[in-house]
């Protein structure tokens, strides 16, 4: 069989390559001191110098030493422990054999990319109490490199510059109004000598903005607010004056007092030829439009793609993916720039697959919508009208103060977990999800403004109750399903998909070796055939995966690097999944894994954390207290400790608390006894009676869990 003979010959050649043949020449490399715009745009194949690799954010590595023929030999070259147990979302950068990687609480390490040896580390010492302001875990997605320096945004809103060689602090600037619960989880980008950084906080009471600082001095050069301020005062620029017309002021609460939202917390891309910086903006704050803008309105520039002139921060154009957002449909999923042949013509496009479930292709010079199609199950809109660029909404999805079941759910058909564009196949690989959410809106009467807590205008207690009632009536919500999906952005259609073990999974990488890499909740990290989706290789890392992989080379050897550490929005709020790595192995110790051909094929699980649960103390509470506890828990605790007190173990499962904790609820919840560990005081939103009721509800759930696990004989 000639086909087989050819394949065998190919394997032999590849084996020779791996063994260190004449082809194994070290690629040209860029020391951190030489990283600038030209180096980022035209980087050697073996480097990964910026978040999405180049400014176009394609996350495609031109390396092909690891390929479809030999990927089965891939294994662990080395690993590095972060000694954290929270989510890891970082993209490691690699320059000239040095890796810069970030972890939970904005910690940063510089490592020898060949051996894993630590060169230096930097801990910005984020106060544990600030963790309460991070909607979706105390994560960090990475750093920027520029002319010998590393730039890092910290969870508590600082932007710091460090010497790339030594880790020495060169400057630190505060980027936020510290009286409001802003956070930074995103990676800065350096464009045109400016360090650009956004912020998160649109679940609390913030007004999102993106800022640019002089990379040398740390001096602020410009700032663009996503939503207008007090309409009685002059706005910062004409774009915000124009945006005022899309907001209503009639209700009890005013958006400029309670937030407005729009947090640009993740996506950025840059076109150096056009001088345009693209920024994705977040959801409205509160979520429920009826509370922040009663009577409607598009609420510019929420849930939008902004094109800003990089020198001034002036708005060149915008495209709003979800006008009048009311579903937490951030448009903050990463943005990819590419040149595509559409209708026989080469178009310079921008692509985004945001939470709302539609895949958008825009002309990146003008912002004109070229095409948009759903890449996941969507019921909030029937499609996108290409003439107006607007969604054709399903009126039932606008829940107002009623209930609605909406697809996708708040976590999105695609969230921040990066997608990847492979110029060889012309396909975009999307970590996507089919999911649904129940919304029950509040109104001006039932909504209580809580400045430093979740501030959504959605009644989570009623949502939880509706789901429980549905389960009782034999209608449990459909499971949320995760996929790796290959999408043809020209034809706007799916080419292949592979189901994932869980719904909430990691970002993706494509390589010139014809491979797509990605991992998931179950701890499996896999290589897919970029053309067919066939799984060619898999390894169980025994820790859940959120982060995207990268690829680089040192001394002619290609490596794949990936952080494993479960968490993020899905990892905190979703009920326990028995198939998740954190459930199976009872540990979430963060680790960086680096793979090469011929590496180890097995990974050992680390020892479980914590102490085995003891039988919970006796419960004595009346039905009214338990009901109150359920409501307060659902409104205040569930987003981190899990709905129905069922945590996925990133943040402790309160039902399994060690015995002394049951006597320390007041100290912990009201007095902040565990603030340094990330559990701040909630005395501003909970009374002593509330805490007693929450304890009673959790204890009731603890007994149910204990009795389930220890049936009486
Ligand atoms: Ca959000």
């Amino acid at each position: 069989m000639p086909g087989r003979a050819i394949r065998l010959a190919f394997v032999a050649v590849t084996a020779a390559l791996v063994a260190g043949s004449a082809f194994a020449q070290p690629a040209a490399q860029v020391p951190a001191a030489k990283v600038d715009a030209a180096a980022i745009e035209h980087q050697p194949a073996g480097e990964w110098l910026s978040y999405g690799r180049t400014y176009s954010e394609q996350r495609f590595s031109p390396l092909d030493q690891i390929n479809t023929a030999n990927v089965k030999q891939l294994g662990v070259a080395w690993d590095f422990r972060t000694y954290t147990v929270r989510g890891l979302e970082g993209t490691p950068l690699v320059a000239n054999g040095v890796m810069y990687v970030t972890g939970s609480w904005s910690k940063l390490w510089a490592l020898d990319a060949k051996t894993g040896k630590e060169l230096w580390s930097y801990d910005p010492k984020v106060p544990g109490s600030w963790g309460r302001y991070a909607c979706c875990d105390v994560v960090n997605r990475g750093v920027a490199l520029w002319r010998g320096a590393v730039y890092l945004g910290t969870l508590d809103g600082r932007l710091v510059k460090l010497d790339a060689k030594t880790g020495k602090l060169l400057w630190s600037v505060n980027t936020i109004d510290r009286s409001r619960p802003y956070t930074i989880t995103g990676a800065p980008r350096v464009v045109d000598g400016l360090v650009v950084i956004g912020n998160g906080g649109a679940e609390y009471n913030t007004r999102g903005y993106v800022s640019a600082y002089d990379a040398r001095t740390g001096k602020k050069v410009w700032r663009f607010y996503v939503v207008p301020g007090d309409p009685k005062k002059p706005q910062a620029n004409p774009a915000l004056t124009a945006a005022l017309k899309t907001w209503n002021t009639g209700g009890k609460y005013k958006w400029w007092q309670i937030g407005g939202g729009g947090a640009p917390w993740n996506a950025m891309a840059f076109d150096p030829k056009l001088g345009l910086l693209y920024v994705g903006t977040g959801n409205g704050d509160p979520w429920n439009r009826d509370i922040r803008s009663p009577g409607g309105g598009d609420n510019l520039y929420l849930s939008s793609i902004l094109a800003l002139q990089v020198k001034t921060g002036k708005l060149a154009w915008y495209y709003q993916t979800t006008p009048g957002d009311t579903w937490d449909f951030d448009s903050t999923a990463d943005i990819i720039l590419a040149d595509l042949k559409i209708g026989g013509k080469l178009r310079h496009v921008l692509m985004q697959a945001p939470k709302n479930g539609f895949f958008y292709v825009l002309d990146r010079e003008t912002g004109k919508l070229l095409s948009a199609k759903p890449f996941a199950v969507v019921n909030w809109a029937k499609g996108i009208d290409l003439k107006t660029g607007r969604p054709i909404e399903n009126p039932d999805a606008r829940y107002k103060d009623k209930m609605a079941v909406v697809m996708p759910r708040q976590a999105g058909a695609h969230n921040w977990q990066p997608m990847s564009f492979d110029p060889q196949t012309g396909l975009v690989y999307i970590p996507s999800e089919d999911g649904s959410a129940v919304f029950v809106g509040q109104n001006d009467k039932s909504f209580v403004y809580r400045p430093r807590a979740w501030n959504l205008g959605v009644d989570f207690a009623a949502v939880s109750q509706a789901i429980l009632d549905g389960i009782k009536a034999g209608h449990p919500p459909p499971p949320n399903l995760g996929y790796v999906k290959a999408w043809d952005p020209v034809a706007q259609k799916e080419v292949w998909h592979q189901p994932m073990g869980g719904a909430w999974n990691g970002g993706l990488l494509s390589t010139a070796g014809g491979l797509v890499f990605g991992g998931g909740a179950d701890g499996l990290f896999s290589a897919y055939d970029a053309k067919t989706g066939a799984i060619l290789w898999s390894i169980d890392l025994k820790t859940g995966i959120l982060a995207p992989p990268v690829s680089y080379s040192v001394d002619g050897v290609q490596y794949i690097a990936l952080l494993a550490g479960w968490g993020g929005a899905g990892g905190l709020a979703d009920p326990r999944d028995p198939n998740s790595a954190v459930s199976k192995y009872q540990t979430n110790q963060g680790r960086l894994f680096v793979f090469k051909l011929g590496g180890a094929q097995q990974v050992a699980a680390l020892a479980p954390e914590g102490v085995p649960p003891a039988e919970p103390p006796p419960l004595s509470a009346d039905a009214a207290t338990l009901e109150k506890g359920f409501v307060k828990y659902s409104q205040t605790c569930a987003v981190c400790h899990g709905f129905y007190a069922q945590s996925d173990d990133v943040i402790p499962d309160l039902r399994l608390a060690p015995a002394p904790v049951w006597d320390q609820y007041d100290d912990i919840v009201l007095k902040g006894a565990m603030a340094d560990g990330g559990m701040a005081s909630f005395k501003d939103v909970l009374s002593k009676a509330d805490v007693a009721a929450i304890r009673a509800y959790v204890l009731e759930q603890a007994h149910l869990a204990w009795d389930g696990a220890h049936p009486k004989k």
Side-chain angles (χ1 to χ4, degrees), residues 203 283 287 328 330 355:
E203 271 65 44
N283 57 278
W287 284 355
D328 189 25
D330 304 68
K355 278 182 173 183

Side-chain angles (χ1 to χ4, degrees), residues 607-622:
E609 288 130 30
V611 290
E615 184 169 4
L619 167 68
S620 61
D622 57 24

Side-chain angles (χ1 to χ4, degrees), residues 6-15 17-18 64-74 511-515 517 527-530 536-537 597:
I6 287 166
R7 203 173 316 139
L8 281 175
F10 184 60
V11 170
V13 169
T14 331
L17 270 175
V18 175
D64 62 358
Q65 188 179 78
I66 302 165
N67 54 50
T68 51
N70 62 19
V71 68
K72 278 202 163 41
Q73 299 162 37
L74 199 61
T511 73
L515 296 166
F517 290 92
Y528 304 85
D529 186 313
L536 301 179
W537 169 85
L597 293 173

Side-chain angles (χ1 to χ4, degrees), residues 159 171 173-176 194-195 197 209-215 217-225:
L159 178 67
W171 53 247
V173 294
N174 170 43
T175 73
I176 60 168
L194 301 172
V195 195
I197 190 73
Y209 54 85
V210 56
S211 320
Y213 295 85
D214 185 311
T217 61
K219 195 172 158 263
K220 190 174 89 192
V221 177
W222 55 256
R223 173 166 290 176
F224 186 87
Y225 281 96

Side-chain angles (χ1 to χ4, degrees), residues 246-247 283-284 286-290 292-293 296-304 320-329 380 390-391 393 397-399:
T246 65
W247 290 77
N283 57 278
W287 284 355
N288 186 342
R289 184 181 64 174
D290 279 4
R292 62 166 202 271
S293 180
D298 285 353
N299 294 180
L300 293 171
Y301 299 95
L302 298 177
S303 304
S304 298
Q320 192 173 38
T321 55
T322 307
D325 169 53
T326 200
W327 307 281
D328 189 25
F329 282 163
W380 72 277
R390 296 180 68 88
E393 269 189 35
R398 288 217 175 252
Y399 49 88

